[in-house]
Amino acid sequence: MSAAVSLLGPDIDHRISLECMLNPSHRVQWLPDSSSFLAARSPQGVSRLDRWAHRLGRLVGTFDARYLNEAIGGIERHGSDTVIAYWGTEPLADLLALRRRLPHLKLVLMVLCYPVSLTRAGVRRQDWMMRRIMRVLDGVIFPNEAMRDHFRAAGLLPEAVETVILPPCWTGAFQASGPQPAGLPRPNVIFTGRTDLSGATVHAADDLRPLMQQLLDAGIELHHGRSPETDDGHPMRRPFQPMRQAELIARMAEHDASLIAYNTQACERDDRFRLTVPDRLITTVAAGVPVAIPQQGYEGAKQYLKDHPGVMVFRDAAHLRSQLDDRARVAEARAQAWAQRSRYAAERHTDVLEGFLSSLRAP
């Protein structure tokens, strides 16, 4: 009989990738983390009391009886011996509660984004939460060596906790198929990050308008999602309407490079951007597109790209423009990135993940 695993987190593309890596040798089910559960059960809005109870649960462990009953019931019905929680700090309190109620479970945290906060106080708070949760974990999945080294240097990772490096990725089904699209004639980049700056989840690092202006002034065509904040009519700006993931991946391949950058100067702490492999980078390699990334910072992303054939590291906008002006080099980088996109499919990491899970000792 195959082993059973429960995935715990938001319903995002990383869930699909984990399911792909674990099938067919594991029976896999998905369970929402308590934040996702709370949002789903309150479609008309979450009450102030619910919000305060949820915040308190982050400190002491989730105590929402309805959520815990459904989550624990799902784990027991599925016969799971392992729970893999993923994304940022949202599932930490849930793991603490599960350890109390189901001490026999093997608990694994997949660290995809950490720290989430961009302030000194926020990082201190999240480090406190992480040290607390590490006492109940059996294993941690890191996206790169930079993140694991950071955990060790910050005293967040006990020696008894097993670790593995698993580069984040999308499934092969997400990747573009057919022949590579023809490139655009002028030096250009596509930016797939958010440009709308009025949403509740927007943070200071999302405001990339200063760098965008520098790229436009350097004569680089800039393609990005349309938003009121960037609707200035600049002749080098090429806004497009929002797209689904598959449509975006198919479109990206015509571009010279995908811009991976944040406004890190606007943040008190930029650890998140030095360590995390952002989803827009995972999408870029799946689309088979070269990467344009600033010379300073982004250590985790650069480790992820160490074998990628199409990386353009730039000092400033003029330096990037000089690289894009070499149209023969750009064409070669595009061809190589397109040919290597299958290296970043989730299916290639099945053996690593399965081997790690089988090596974990029961609590």
Side-chain angles (χ1 to χ4, degrees):
M1 183 177 179
S2 60
V5 175
S6 291
L7 307 179
L8 181 73
D11 189 10
I12 56 178
D13 291 333
H14 289 288
R15 167 197 171 183
I16 300 172
S17 296
L18 281 168
E19 290 174 345
C20 177
M21 284 185 249
L22 291 168
N23 286 321
S25 60
H26 290 75
R27 291 184 295 109
V28 185
Q29 73 163 350
W30 169 72
L31 299 169
D33 60 279
S34 58
S35 294
S36 302
F37 179 83
L38 180 62
R41 86 180 193 202
S42 306
Q44 304 306 318
V46 180
S47 71
R48 182 174 297 181
L49 180 60
D50 285 338
R51 289 186 185 279
W52 278 108
H54 185 67
R55 289 172 182 171
L56 179 60
R58 289 184 176 183
L59 300 177
V60 301
T62 302
F63 57 83
D64 183 327
R66 183 174 174 184
Y67 170 73
L68 289 176
N69 288 339
E70 292 203 21
I72 291 170
I75 290 169
E76 291 179 335
R77 286 190 298 273
H78 191 64
S80 298
D81 66 356
T82 303
V83 169
I84 302 177
Y86 57 92
W87 210 75
T89 57
E90 291 295 337
L92 299 187
D94 303 336
L95 289 172
L96 193 62
L98 289 177
R99 174 59 78 215
R100 292 168 180 164
R101 298 282 291 272
L102 298 173
H104 63 283
L105 272 181
K106 288 184 280 189
L107 300 181
V108 177
L109 177 64
M110 187 177 193
V111 180
L112 289 165
C113 181
Y114 190 84
V116 178
S117 178
L118 306 179
T119 67
R120 287 184 286 271
V123 171
R124 285 196 298 269
R125 182 178 66 254
Q126 289 173 358
D127 282 352
W128 175 84
M129 295 167 61
M130 190 62 72
R131 290 189 184 95
R132 193 161 180 247
I133 199 65
M134 280 290 172
R135 298 199 295 265
V136 306
L137 293 182
D138 301 288
V140 181
I141 301 171
F142 288 106
N144 49 47
E145 291 286 354
M147 184 76 80
R148 183 162 64 182
D149 290 346
H150 172 79
F151 268 60
R152 286 172 172 161
L156 303 178
L157 183 64
E159 290 186 8
V161 177
E162 299 293 332
T163 69
V164 69
I165 302 297
L166 188 69
C169 49
W170 305 143
T171 71
F174 278 60
Q175 296 183 354
S177 59
Q180 183 182 23
L184 301 176
R186 295 179 58 90
N188 68 90
V189 296
I190 182 171
F191 175 67
T192 61
R194 65 187 309 167
T195 58
D196 59 306
L197 304 176
S198 59
T201 59
V202 169
H203 49 65
D206 287 324
D207 187 359
L208 205 65
R209 286 177 295 179
L211 177 58
M212 284 183 169
Q213 190 62 51
Q214 294 168 21
L215 297 176
L216 294 168
D217 291 344
I220 299 173
E221 273 189 4
L222 178 59
H223 299 248
H224 60 75
R226 187 181 301 277
S227 72
E229 294 87 346
T230 56
D231 187 15
D232 60 4
H234 195 288
M236 300 303 293
R237 195 185 294 275
R238 302 288 187 270
F240 54 80
Q241 294 299 331
M243 307 179 200
R244 294 182 178 273
Q245 183 86 286
E247 184 183 1
L248 178 62
I249 287 176
R251 172 175 177 156
M252 288 177 68
E254 68 182 3
H255 293 284
D256 291 351
S258 172
L259 176 65
I260 305 299
Y262 295 86
N263 187 357
T264 57
Q265 294 181 340
C267 309
E268 284 185 359
R269 293 283 296 264
D270 67 348
D271 311 54
R272 172 175 176 172
F273 307 110
R274 290 190 295 102
L275 304 171
T276 298
V277 178
D279 286 359
R280 65 192 65 168
L281 178 53
I282 306 171
T283 298
T284 295
V285 297
V289 185
V291 179
I293 191 168
Q295 187 175 70
Q296 184 174 355
Y298 306 96
E299 290 87 346
K302 289 170 182 173
Q303 286 183 357
Y304 182 79
L305 292 166
K306 61 182 176 64
D307 296 321
H308 193 275
V311 181
M312 302 179 191
V313 178
F314 63 92
R315 296 186 300 272
D316 51 33
H319 185 212
L320 179 58
R321 173 63 194 263
S322 70
Q323 296 181 64
L324 297 176
D325 277 340
D326 188 343
R327 304 310 287 164
R329 178 176 179 270
V330 168
E332 181 181 3
R334 289 184 63 246
Q336 291 177 339
W338 179 262
Q340 293 295 315
R341 65 194 188 283
S342 63
R343 293 181 58 248
Y344 294 91
E347 293 86 341
R348 295 177 63 94
H349 302 294
T350 292
D351 291 345
V352 173
L353 180 56
E354 290 183 349
F356 175 66
L357 295 181
S358 64
S359 72
L360 298 178
R361 298 182 293 274

